[in-house]
Amino acid sequence: MWRFVEEILLSGLILLCAAVAPNIFPAAQAGYAPMSTLAAWALIPSIVVMAITVAIAVWRGHRRLVNRVWVGVAAGMLATAGLEAVRITSFRLFHGMPGDLPKLLGVLLLNRFMLGPSAWSNVLGYLYHFWNGACFGIIFTLIFGRIRFYWGMLYGEVIGTGFLLSPAVTALGVGFFASKMHAMQITVWLAHLVYGGILGWLCQSWTHERGWLLSRRTNKPRPRTDGEAKSED
Amino acid sequence: MTRLSYAFALTAVTGILAGGLFVPTAKGQDSSGTKTESAATTAGPGVAVTTRGSVSQTVGKLKKMIAHNGMMVMGQLNQGRVLSMTGIQVKSQTLFVGNPQIGKQLFSADPGVGLVVPIRINVYENAYGQTVVQYVPPSRDLNQFHDAQITMIGNMLDQKLKGITSMLGQ
């Protein structure tokens, strides 16, 4: 019982840390604090605390939790690459976004809006965007465990809709919920559908155990796929 | 696990993210609890609004209102802090305010608009200890470009700024 409680506590701490990155951009755009300040005082500490918590989970042998964190990070980052493919295509070819979001994130992180983007700010902006994707991946795998990929698509759409509703979009001058820029709404929904699809598919393939956050371990091994069964035959 | 459980779990995710994805923007309230009082005038170089909060409180409140009105603070110059190097003590901060969409339209029409945008909003403490928010209505300078689109955007920016500064007095 204690091991289960310990796993829940560690999972809760990791979830809290994962929720920091996606929230600093809307908070900064709403005018609560510069993003550079939020990055220094909230984002970096959250990454450090998460790393320590995962290390404790590895040390204490919480294999289900560790598997879910790594799957969340890897699947989230790969899914963000899919999201980026849609976003860049829409931005470059169809002017479907008001600006280049990772570049904006970079100048906000380094507090150099007036100077514009630099190579370093672009790298940081993309790193932040991919870390955001990883955090959403961690949240997905920790809470849901191994589920069918289409739940990932629904999850992606929840994230996309949440983004459109956030002050981050309003501050870009496209109106609440991007009501003055329908191309952006379509881009965001489509990009997050791709993100969710990739995330859901990878999590379905890589996560070892079923069961959501509060369910006890089943100790049931992952069923073999058709391919694995055939190769053994 | 049933699908119902997953739907419940999805709701839990939304709860986790709710901390910031739905961060409310200020709608004229003073987060510090300080009462504000405003009086807009057009005397001097621009429109001036007097508030009762301190300069830093007013700047904080102004930033939230700018975000709520679909604009961004692109830069901030703490003129008081810069001038402290010369030995003078003043409380004055300048915000440079813009919007990517409006900027795109203005600069496409005439790259010379860089003289006027981003808009400067100055917040300072006057000789009577009052905090003043002051700006030059953008239309005043943008009209000089004699371009219908630029003029229209200038008038729209005037309305936006009027809305933002009038909210300071609510």
Side-chain angles (χ1 to χ4, degrees):
Chain A
M1 180 65 188
W2 166 244
R3 277 195 67 77
F4 176 65
V5 173
E6 190 179 272
E7 186 183 315
I8 296 299
L9 288 174
L10 292 172
S11 301
L13 196 54
I14 292 170
L15 282 173
L16 274 178
C17 293
V20 170
N23 284 318
I24 65 166
F25 179 45
Q29 289 294 81
Y32 284 94
M35 197 161 159
S36 52
T37 306
L38 292 172
W41 292 98
L43 179 63
I44 293 171
S46 76
I47 295 170
V48 172
V49 172
M50 191 192 285
I52 292 169
T53 312
V54 173
I56 292 170
V58 172
W59 172 55
R60 298 282 299 154
H62 291 286
R63 283 190 297 175
R64 181 175 83 158
L65 173 59
V66 173
N67 165 253
R68 288 180 178 190
V69 171
W70 290 129
V71 169
V73 170
M77 288 205 174
L78 288 170
T80 307
L83 178 145
E84 278 293 317
V86 176
R87 184 196 64 79
I88 291 169
T89 307
S90 172
F91 175 62
R92 301 250 182 242
L93 300 182
F94 306 108
H95 305 289
M97 291 292 283
D100 201 338
L101 199 63
K103 287 186 177 177
L104 171 69
L105 293 168
V107 294
L108 291 175
L109 280 169
L110 290 181
N111 198 16
R112 50 170 294 140
F113 202 108
M114 299 289 271
L115 298 171
S118 64
W120 178 227
S121 75
N122 289 344
V123 168
L124 268 188
Y126 272 96
L127 276 178
Y128 169 75
H129 201 209
F130 275 81
W131 176 243
N132 240 352
C135 286
F136 279 119
I138 291 169
I139 292 169
F140 182 78
T141 50
L142 280 194
I143 291 183
F144 300 110
R146 181 157 58 88
I147 52 173
R148 301 301 297 266
F149 75 96
Y150 48 75
W151 286 103
M153 294 166 90
L154 180 63
Y155 177 73
E157 289 308 280
V158 169
I159 297 169
T161 307
F163 174 65
L164 286 171
L165 285 168
S166 74
V169 169
T170 311
L172 292 173
V174 289
F176 176 68
F177 205 67
S179 54
K180 294 178 191 165
M181 193 176 184
H182 297 301
M184 182 180 176
Q185 292 173 328
I186 295 166
T187 304
V188 169
W189 275 322
L190 194 60
H192 284 86
L193 188 70
V194 170
Y195 170 86
I198 296 172
L199 180 74
W201 180 66
L202 292 176
C203 290
Q204 183 183 312
S205 308
W206 293 345
T207 309
H208 290 162
E209 290 183 38
R210 288 180 182 276
W212 79 300
L213 178 68
L214 297 178
S215 64
R216 303 290 292 270
R217 289 192 67 176
T218 57
N219 290 326
K220 199 187 289 182
R222 182 169 68 87
R224 291 182 306 174
T225 61
D226 290 346
E228 286 169 345
K230 277 177 190 168
S231 66
E232 280 185 22
D233 293 341
Chain B
M1 178 185 276
T2 64
R3 291 183 179 193
L4 194 64
S5 307
Y6 284 122
F8 174 74
L10 193 63
T11 313
V13 174
T14 314
I16 286 172
L17 303 175
L21 282 177
F22 303 102
V23 173
T25 48
K27 287 186 180 176
Q29 78 275 24
D30 188 344
S31 56
S32 64
T34 316
K35 277 189 179 176
T36 55
E37 194 176 74
S38 70
T41 66
T42 49
V47 176
V49 175
T50 310
T51 70
R52 205 183 278 173
S54 69
V55 169
S56 56
Q57 282 172 338
T58 304
V59 167
K61 207 162 56 170
L62 192 57
K63 281 181 180 175
K64 290 173 187 167
M65 286 169 190
I66 287 165
H68 180 71
N69 281 274
M71 307 277 281
M72 285 176 73
V73 176
M74 300 169 75
Q76 182 175 354
L77 178 60
N78 191 331
Q79 311 224 47
R81 193 175 290 171
V82 172
L83 284 166
S84 69
M85 291 188 290
T86 69
I88 189 174
Q89 295 299 319
V90 288
K91 288 180 181 169
S92 175
Q93 293 195 44
T94 304
L95 299 182
F96 295 87
V97 178
N99 169 320
Q101 284 303 94
I102 293 173
K104 216 188 270 185
Q105 290 172 42
L106 282 173
F107 278 86
S108 301
D110 190 334
V113 295
L115 193 63
V116 185
V117 292
I119 303 153
R120 290 174 71 133
I121 302 179
N122 197 32
V123 184
Y124 65 98
E125 190 178 278
N126 67 13
Y128 305 103
Q130 296 167 311
T131 301
V132 180
V133 179
Q134 196 164 20
Y135 64 91
V136 175
S139 67
R140 201 178 284 185
D141 293 328
L142 289 174
N143 286 348
Q144 307 295 316
F145 287 89
H146 304 294
D147 180 297
Q149 195 190 358
I150 293 176
T151 302
M152 187 193 73
I153 293 172
N155 292 332
M156 189 263 287
L157 286 172
D158 282 2
Q159 290 304 312
K160 262 194 187 297
L161 288 172
K162 193 177 171 185
I164 290 169
T165 50
S166 67
M167 283 164 79
L168 282 170
Q170 283 177 7

